[in-house]
Amino acid sequence: MSLNNSSNVFLDSAPGNTSRFQVHVINESHESSVAVNDNADPPHYEETSFGDEGQNRFRISFRPGNQDRYDNFLQTGETAKTDASFHAYDSHTNTYYLQTFGHNTMDAVPKIEYYRNTGSVSGPKVNRPSLLEIHEQLAKNVSVAPGSADVVANGDGMPGDEQAENKEEDQAGAVKFGWVKGVLVRCMLNIWGVMLFIRLSWIVGEAGIGLGVIIIGLSVVVTTLTGISMSAICTNGVVRGGGAYYLISRSLGPEFGGSIGLIFAFANAVAVAMYVVGFAETVVDLLKESNSMMVDPTNDIRIIGSITVVILLGISVAGMEWEAKAQVILLIILLIAIVNFFIGTVIPSNNDKKSRGFFNYQASIFAENFGPSFTKGEGFFSVFAIFFPAATGILAGANISGDLEDPQDAIPRGTMLAIFITTVAYIGVAICVGACVVRDATGSMNDTVISGMNCNGSAACGLGYDFSRCRHEPCQYGLMNNFQVMSMVSGFGPLITAGIFSATLSSALASLVSAPKVFQALCKDNIYKALQFFAKGYGKNNEPLRGYFLTFVIAMAFILIAELNTIAPIISNFFLASYALINFSCFHASYAKSPGWRPAYGIYNMWVSLFGAILCCAVMFVINWWAAVITYVIEFFLYIYVTYKKPDVNWGSSTQALSYVSALDNALELTTVEDHVKNFRPQCIVLTGGPMTRPALLDITHAFTKNSGLCICCEVFVGPRKLCVKEMNSGMAKKQAWLIKNKIKAFYAAVAADCFRDGVRSLLQASGLGRMKPNTLVIGYKKNWRKAPLTEIENYVGIIHDAFDFEIGVVIVRISQGFDISQVLQVQDELEKLEQERLALEATIKDNECEEESGGLRGLFKKAGKLNITKPTPKKDSSINTIQSMHVGEINQKLVEASTQFKKKQGKGTIDVWWLFDDGGLTLLIPYILTLRKKWRDCKLRIYVGGKINRIEEEKITMASLLSKFRIKFADIHVIGDINIKPNKESWKFFEEMIEPYRLHESCKDLTTAEKLKRETPWKITDAELEAVKEKSYRQVRLNELLQEHSRAANLIVLSLPVARKGSISDWLYMAWLEILTKNLPPVLLVRGNHKNVLTFYS
């Protein structure tokens, strides 16, 4: 592929070619610059301003005279293909590869494809060039490799891209709805329920026009606040299927989303039964009037309800297109019924209607009905509880978010407009019916006013009717007594009945669609693994047919009960719980201050959302307190279940954001508090390498840091920086994930350095945050020190010196088998690969059994060749290899067992603490913390201290007093008085033989030769050094004898670590001290604190 740098490549595209962005590129080549400079005007540059969401999200500022180039700019909010003359990553032609803004560069211009998720249904994901690709030197063959542009443009050919494209093709024929048919129609139908036609007149009669409007207004406040919060969440990113569940789960996480999603889907399923039973009851009432009962009222409700829900199921299963058409028809009927009512209020009333309390608009009736007139047992909150369910239904559009063309635009616009329209209708009906109909009426045309009768301010009396007997005996008509007031007032009564049918059926149909859609989204997320069966969708719209039938079964079961008065309050509370969590989601996301919280819908406030959440919770208890308690108990149980199961999802919830903010605030607050000895805790850097390679070292450290201190597993990558950084970055997430999987409360950190000591020095200085900085270095004992290169020993001892220089305590852990099991892990990986190949071969053989013999054999050999399976050749030394492999296997088995020894529960035994030197108390604190752990709880502390032979009892009493003041329980105290005597000859001889290869022996040579040897091998142990520290060497050898005598049977030995004075003790002599000190013993912890108090007896 040749690079074309001619100016023609970068000219403006033709005006006729429409594109998302068309940029006039200023050619920066030397040749063309002269021509450009002929124009005296300074160059103009385009500006692209992102704002004005109402103007389809983008606004282009044009330079003078060039606006005609943008006349065909697409304003649909969807991406369009960039014009071929200007494309940073043209995946179809190699000519424009590596050309952006006229330069040969791999840097890509911003594109929406880079920000999509893998598998996105809105378009394929493309991977931008990595930082490594544009930072490292460009490979020589990049520009000539055929098809290389395609590889880069398509994200190195990732399988996810191809799957995303296929998924996009599959979704091409899906039916999508706009904001009117998808949201507005559904919300209006759901909010305008049976309450509008049957109960609203009774509410006005009880509460009066004034309080009635306040009840409606209070309900609308709840729904409006929820709608605002929902709009903010919807416009903060792409919204997919799942409605309220999707919004809550992506905002608050799977715990809240999973709990509310299940009960919300169930509530919608039972709501189907509620609405269908309401429809059936109305039909049964009509059958009663015409004496056409089939069996009895209860069974008739069951029969009619069952037939109705089957028909609704058929409409739903037929597809969203048919369901949407049915909803539009039902809305038209409902609107006609409402208009019919308003027309009826202005039609002059006849005597029959007057006797039932309808007198058209009268100021006296309005004044009489303005105030409340609660009957016995009723009050403001009881009436509010009856009305509020009528205001719900605002989630009807959001519940089918997966079937909307643009949910981010449709849900806020449709929901808020539906709330406004329905509120106006409710208030209008309430005022009109309150101004036309009196509260009580007898229905008798003979109850007219007798001349000379005192009306006592009665509106009906002033209009010629005497309904005074309704004060003493029940009446059947009027706002307080007749639920069919709207039918009486309307111009044509049967239209109100049709409106009731429309309201109930539309709500039932909306719930029948909502429940499976929400349930399918919940199942797809696999939060409840047992429900995965219902995640499957069918057809171009991915219809949840299995969910439809499950909803049908639930609805049918509750229809057959035919008594829903008990469960109705619980269902209403389920919906309110969803509203509360939507409001809380908006508040929580705002409070977390995450940079990712950028809703395009700006009309919201976090504190208003919190108020909305509290208001929803209060309304739950107002409606029915025991139903609210049941709702909270169910939600809490599901929350605990999901939290326990810990689903493997990461949605970037505000809970995560708030956790970060909380951790950051706490860390900053901690820096303002001075350290106190009472709050000291070991905060450890553990040089494990990869945490899985030295599990025993990590386990023993985790035992005394879990839930009490910081633990950082550290790894140093030594070698060429480029390779080290690449290896380090690729393994960071994997190794931290291993810690989480194994429930180890630790962090993983890694550095790349030129040498091991430099890397550890960097970790010691830079690890941690604020007060949460390491104060203790934990390393494994270098078991192979006698065979190790000089640089390794210098680095090993050097990091101990560095730790002391930084005033960091040191813990060296030694176990008999060593810690490193990387070879065992490598063998396990190879065995797993071999097992996978074996299974693949077996599958290949099985697939070819049914094929023809010749074809089958050819296929088998072909696939076997791909698997690199070859016939094993016999080896002459196979017997030797077998013996060696058996020996290695035994060693590996012992190593594996040793690597898990600290995971097991330690039986009854002892932790022997040899507190020989006061280091501030760390040597005593670590074993004490161990005894608090479940695995070490049965182990008792035995304390060993040095003392004088003639003062053993006094020393013992003194130490017992000190330990009691420290409140540390111990089983026994031993005062060792013979530490400083010479060791036996055999032990000392062993020590001398061990250090012999590392001695200089300069005293046996002449001065010149000795000086030369010192220059050539300065690391060797000189005779002068050995003589100067002979007493210390005796002590180390003697201590091992004492340890063998007293602590050979201990579960763990904690021993004061000897300190090597810099410049005085050579590295090899110090390693010899550590070796002789811990030889042939149970697990040993050599501990040396930083000589600052970590224990106190003050309160």
Side-chain angles (χ1 to χ4, degrees):
M1 182 182 75
S2 61
L3 292 176
N4 189 346
N5 289 328
S6 65
S7 58
N8 295 332
V9 175
F10 304 104
L11 293 178
D12 287 349
S13 57
N17 293 336
T18 59
S19 68
R20 181 72 168 175
F21 293 102
Q22 295 179 345
V23 182
H24 178 69
V25 180
I26 300 172
N27 194 313
E28 298 177 8
S29 64
H30 176 73
E31 293 82 356
S32 59
S33 61
V34 178
V36 173
N37 289 334
D38 289 343
N39 188 352
D41 294 334
H44 297 277
Y45 298 93
E46 291 80 0
E47 293 180 358
T48 304
S49 54
F50 298 90
D52 245 350
E53 190 69 22
Q55 299 296 325
N56 287 318
R57 303 185 188 151
F58 296 104
R59 183 178 66 231
I60 303 296
S61 299
F62 309 101
R63 58 183 177 177
N66 284 347
Q67 186 164 351
D68 58 334
R69 296 178 181 270
Y70 299 88
D71 289 341
N72 295 321
F73 178 74
L74 301 180
Q75 294 187 356
T76 60
E78 299 297 325
T79 58
K81 291 182 179 179
T82 311
D83 185 63
S85 65
F86 180 74
H87 200 300
Y89 278 87
D90 192 329
S91 61
H92 302 290
T93 60
N94 295 338
T95 311
Y96 306 108
Y97 174 51
L98 302 180
Q99 295 182 354
T100 304
F101 302 131
H103 293 292
N104 294 342
T105 176
M106 292 185 70
D107 256 345
V109 295
K111 290 173 62 178
I112 192 172
E113 287 83 359
Y114 297 140
Y115 296 91
R116 287 197 176 105
N117 289 333
T118 302
S120 171
V121 297
S122 58
K125 173 181 172 59
V126 177
N127 283 3
R128 71 177 62 80
S130 68
L131 185 61
L132 189 65
E133 288 172 334
I134 64 174
H135 185 230
E136 293 295 333
Q137 291 183 355
L138 190 64
K140 293 181 180 179
N141 61 343
V142 167
S143 60
V144 296
S148 58
D150 299 343
V151 174
V152 177
N154 291 315
D156 297 332
M158 288 182 63
D161 301 335
E162 185 178 351
Q163 293 173 2
E165 290 172 3
N166 293 339
K167 192 168 184 180
E168 177 73 10
E169 292 173 4
D170 294 340
Q171 295 288 329
V175 177
K176 299 291 184 180
F177 302 111
W179 70 275
V180 175
K181 188 184 289 188
V183 181
L184 180 64
V185 171
R186 294 172 188 278
C187 288
M188 288 171 63
L189 282 169
N190 246 28
I191 297 172
W192 278 333
V194 182
M195 193 69 64
L196 176 66
F197 299 101
I198 296 179
R199 290 290 187 274
L200 188 56
S201 58
W202 176 85
I203 288 168
V204 173
E206 289 282 347
I209 297 173
L211 285 182
V213 172
I214 291 176
I215 287 173
I216 295 171
L218 185 58
S219 303
V220 171
V221 166
V222 174
T223 56
T224 302
L225 293 180
T226 305
I228 291 172
S229 299
M230 182 173 63
S231 299
I233 298 171
C234 284
T235 57
N236 192 52
V238 176
V239 178
R240 296 193 174 89
Y245 159 71
Y246 186 89
L247 300 178
I248 294 170
S249 62
R250 268 51 177 184
S251 294
L252 293 178
E255 295 83 7
F256 282 104
S259 58
I260 200 64
L262 197 60
I263 66 175
F264 185 71
F266 176 77
N268 273 285
V270 178
V272 176
M274 290 175 56
Y275 294 128
V276 168
V277 167
F279 167 77
E281 286 178 348
T282 306
V283 175
V284 168
D285 288 341
L286 294 176
L287 291 177
K288 283 182 182 178
E289 293 177 5
S290 59
N291 295 321
S292 301
M293 298 291 293
M294 290 178 283
V295 186
D296 56 69
T298 301
N299 285 314
D300 282 4
I301 290 173
R302 291 170 178 163
I303 294 169
I304 296 170
S306 300
I307 296 171
T308 304
V309 80
V310 169
I311 295 172
L312 294 177
L313 177 67
I315 295 172
S316 301
V317 172
M320 292 296 295
E321 186 94 29
W322 287 96
E323 188 267 349
K325 290 177 181 177
Q327 293 280 27
V328 171
I329 293 171
L330 292 172
L331 178 63
I332 293 172
I333 295 172
L334 194 60
L335 289 172
I336 292 172
I338 294 172
V339 171
N340 175 52
F341 164 76
F342 286 112
I343 292 173
T345 59
V346 297
I347 296 175
S349 178
N350 54 34
N351 290 333
D352 181 49
K353 289 186 177 181
K354 287 181 178 179
S355 66
R356 297 183 183 185
F358 172 54
F359 295 95
N360 296 112
Y361 293 104
Q362 301 291 337
S364 58
I365 296 178
F366 181 87
E368 184 180 69
N369 290 342
F370 189 82
S373 179
F374 295 114
T375 55
K376 186 178 181 181
E378 299 295 346
F380 176 82
F381 288 110
S382 64
V383 174
F384 173 78
I386 291 171
F387 172 78
F388 184 80
T392 60
I394 61 171
L395 297 179
N399 287 341
I400 63 161
S401 54
D403 296 296
L404 300 175
E405 287 180 0
D406 186 3
Q408 292 174 274
D409 178 67
I411 293 175
R413 185 186 299 185
T415 303
M416 299 308 292
L417 185 57
I419 292 173
F420 175 75
I421 294 173
T422 53
T423 301
V424 170
Y426 271 122
I427 293 176
V429 171
I431 293 175
C432 289
V433 77
C436 296
V437 184
V438 297
R439 282 192 166 102
D440 296 297
T442 59
S444 173
M445 289 185 287
N446 297 324
D447 289 338
T448 55
V449 175
I450 302 171
S451 59
M453 180 177 177
N454 186 10
C455 291
N456 293 325
S458 170
C461 180
L463 296 171
Y465 280 82
D466 179 18
F467 300 141
S468 57
R469 62 189 176 98
C470 292
R471 299 173 186 170
H472 313 292
E473 59 183 63
C475 294
Q476 295 183 353
Y477 298 98
L479 295 176
M480 306 279 278
N481 312 303
N482 183 15
F483 292 152
Q484 303 297 328
V485 167
M486 286 191 68
S487 297
M488 176 191 69
V489 173
S490 64
F492 184 60
L495 279 178
I496 298 299
T497 304
I500 294 173
F501 288 170
S502 173
T504 52
L505 292 177
S506 62
S507 298
L509 192 56
S511 298
L512 185 57
V513 171
S514 298
K517 294 282 186 181
V518 173
F519 193 58
Q520 182 187 34
L522 176 67
C523 297
K524 277 184 177 180
D525 289 335
N526 204 21
I527 292 178
Y528 302 100
K529 297 187 182 298
L531 303 178
Q532 184 67 21
F533 173 79
F534 295 98
K536 184 174 176 58
Y538 296 87
K540 59 187 180 182
N541 264 51
N542 197 30
E543 295 289 348
L545 296 184
R546 295 174 179 176
Y548 279 130
F549 285 105
L550 177 64
T551 304
F552 169 76
V553 170
I554 295 172
M556 186 64 78
F558 282 97
I559 287 169
L560 294 178
I561 294 174
E563 282 293 334
L564 296 177
N565 291 337
T566 303
I567 201 166
I570 300 177
I571 300 306
S572 296
N573 274 321
F574 280 179
F575 287 121
L576 271 169
S578 304
Y579 295 175
L581 279 180
I582 289 174
N583 281 297
F584 184 73
S585 298
C586 184
F587 162 76
H588 200 268
S590 303
Y591 185 74
K593 299 181 179 67
S594 171
W597 173 249
R598 303 184 300 274
Y601 188 87
I603 311 172
Y604 77 95
N605 181 276
M606 58 184 286
W607 300 111
V608 172
S609 295
L610 179 62
F611 173 72
I614 296 171
L615 194 59
C616 288
C617 295
V619 170
M620 289 174 69
F621 282 95
V622 167
I623 290 177
N624 193 303
W625 69 267
W626 58 263
V629 171
I630 291 174
T631 302
Y632 284 124
V633 168
I634 294 173
E635 189 174 338
F636 179 74
F637 171 77
L638 292 173
Y639 178 89
I640 295 298
Y641 174 81
V642 177
T643 304
Y644 174 75
K645 288 295 183 181
K646 292 183 180 178
D648 187 17
V649 294
N650 183 10
W651 295 324
S653 66
S654 60
T655 306
Q656 295 173 339
L658 193 62
S659 297
Y660 175 84
V661 172
S662 177
L664 184 62
D665 289 343
N666 290 335
L668 289 170
E669 186 178 350
L670 202 59
T671 59
T672 64
V673 180
E674 290 294 330
D675 288 332
H676 194 282
V677 63
K678 287 196 296 184
N679 293 323
F680 176 87
R681 56 198 67 219
Q683 303 193 109
C684 300
I685 277 185
V686 197
L687 299 184
T688 58
M692 63 284 290
T693 58
R694 292 175 177 81
L697 180 61
L698 180 55
D699 288 338
I700 188 62
T701 309
H702 190 240
F704 58 82
T705 60
K706 180 182 179 182
N707 296 329
S708 64
L710 180 69
C711 181
I712 306 176
C713 303
C714 295
E715 185 171 9
V716 179
F717 291 86
V718 179
R721 183 170 295 275
K722 180 179 178 181
L723 297 176
C724 288
V725 169
K726 185 176 181 181
E727 183 183 357
M728 179 179 70
N729 291 340
S730 63
M732 293 282 283
K734 178 183 176 183
K735 290 167 183 175
Q736 184 64 53
W738 185 89
L739 292 171
I740 296 170
K741 181 181 177 182
N742 289 272
K743 299 180 180 180
I744 296 174
K745 296 184 178 181
F747 300 96
Y748 172 76
V751 293
D754 295 328
C755 73
F756 181 72
R757 184 177 180 182
D758 287 345
V760 176
R761 190 185 288 124
S762 299
L763 289 167
L764 290 173
Q765 295 177 89
S767 295
L769 184 68
R771 296 289 182 191
M772 294 185 294
K773 290 185 71 68
N775 53 33
T776 306
L777 171 68
V778 181
I779 57 177
Y781 176 71
K782 192 168 185 62
K783 188 180 178 184
N784 65 339
W785 65 276
R786 278 181 273 189
K787 298 178 182 178
L790 172 63
T791 54
E792 289 189 11
I793 301 301
E794 289 177 344
N795 284 333
Y796 185 82
V797 178
I799 63 174
I800 299 174
H801 288 306
D802 292 336
F804 291 148
D805 288 341
F806 298 136
E807 294 189 339
I808 292 176
V810 176
V811 177
I812 301 176
V813 187
R814 180 174 186 177
I815 58 176
S816 58
Q817 296 295 327
F819 294 105
D820 192 355
I821 63 166
S822 55
Q823 291 182 349
V824 177
L825 296 176
Q826 186 177 355
V827 170
Q828 289 177 351
D829 290 340
E830 291 176 356
L831 290 175
E832 288 178 3
K833 291 179 181 178
L834 289 173
E835 180 65 15
Q836 290 175 359
E837 290 184 359
R838 184 185 67 79
L839 295 174
L841 179 59
E842 289 180 356
T844 304
I845 295 171
K846 188 175 181 180
D847 291 341
N848 285 275
E849 283 179 350
C850 300
E851 296 182 6
E852 293 181 1
E853 184 174 356
S854 59
L857 287 173
R858 282 198 298 271
L860 175 60
F861 290 136
K862 184 178 179 182
K863 293 184 179 181
K866 289 181 180 179
L867 292 171
N868 295 323
I869 298 173
T870 57
K871 184 177 180 180
T873 56
K875 297 181 181 179
K876 293 180 181 180
D877 57 347
S878 59
S879 60
I880 298 174
N881 288 336
T882 303
I883 295 170
Q884 289 177 349
S885 63
M886 289 175 63
H887 180 63
V888 171
E890 291 175 2
I891 295 174
N892 285 344
Q893 184 62 31
K894 291 180 180 179
L895 188 58
V896 170
E897 290 177 359
S899 69
T900 60
Q901 62 179 308
F902 297 125
K903 292 183 184 293
K904 303 172 184 175
K905 182 175 176 60
Q906 306 295 317
K908 290 185 177 180
T910 63
I911 297 176
D912 287 0
V913 183
W914 290 69
W915 194 16
L916 304 178
F917 307 103
D918 195 333
D919 59 349
L922 186 65
T923 308
L924 188 61
L925 181 62
I926 287 177
Y928 167 73
I929 296 174
L930 285 175
T931 59
L932 303 178
R933 307 305 184 198
K934 188 176 181 181
K935 292 184 176 66
W936 295 87
R937 191 174 295 163
D938 295 335
C939 294
K940 306 297 182 182
L941 290 184
R942 292 195 304 186
I943 311 298
Y944 292 83
V945 293
K948 298 179 180 178
I949 295 178
N950 58 351
R951 287 180 51 84
I952 287 181
E953 288 302 320
E954 290 86 342
E955 299 277 1
K956 196 171 185 179
I957 293 171
T958 302
M959 179 54 61
S961 174
L962 179 62
L963 293 175
S964 64
K965 287 184 177 181
F966 285 149
R967 302 170 304 282
I968 291 178
K969 296 180 180 179
F970 56 91
D972 201 358
I973 295 177
H974 297 269
V975 179
I976 308 298
D978 53 351
I979 292 178
N980 291 322
I981 67 173
K982 288 184 178 181
N984 61 51
K985 293 181 179 179
E986 290 78 9
S987 300
W988 181 249
K989 184 179 179 181
F990 177 85
F991 177 75
E992 288 185 322
E993 290 174 352
M994 181 171 58
I995 63 173
E996 179 62 31
Y998 315 109
R999 292 186 62 180
L1000 190 64
H1001 287 296
E1002 78 279 7
S1003 60
C1004 302
K1005 300 177 179 64
D1006 60 84
L1007 185 61
T1008 305
T1009 305
E1011 291 296 328
K1012 181 181 178 182
L1013 287 174
K1014 285 182 181 180
R1015 287 194 301 272
E1016 291 176 353
T1017 55
W1019 50 270
K1020 283 198 172 184
I1021 306 169
T1022 64
D1023 292 342
E1025 174 193 357
L1026 196 59
E1027 185 63 29
V1029 296
K1030 194 169 187 177
E1031 292 297 327
K1032 290 186 177 180
S1033 298
Y1034 280 157
R1035 186 191 305 146
Q1036 314 310 326
V1037 179
R1038 176 58 183 159
L1039 278 172
N1040 181 260
E1041 294 176 350
L1042 294 170
L1043 287 163
Q1044 297 281 356
E1045 178 184 348
H1046 295 279
S1047 300
R1048 188 67 184 269
N1051 294 56
L1052 180 70
I1053 298 173
V1054 181
L1055 174 66
S1056 292
L1057 172 69
V1059 177
R1061 189 178 296 276
K1062 288 192 295 183
S1064 300
I1065 309 297
S1066 62
D1067 296 341
W1068 294 94
L1069 179 59
Y1070 187 64
M1071 293 304 299
W1073 283 1
L1074 300 183
E1075 174 68 28
I1076 196 64
L1077 189 59
T1078 58
K1079 182 175 68 74
N1080 297 330
L1081 290 173
V1084 178
L1085 266 64
L1086 293 166
V1087 181
R1088 174 69 68 158
N1090 62 0
H1091 286 239
K1092 294 180 180 179
N1093 288 349
V1094 301
L1095 295 173
T1096 182
F1097 45 80
Y1098 295 108
S1099 59

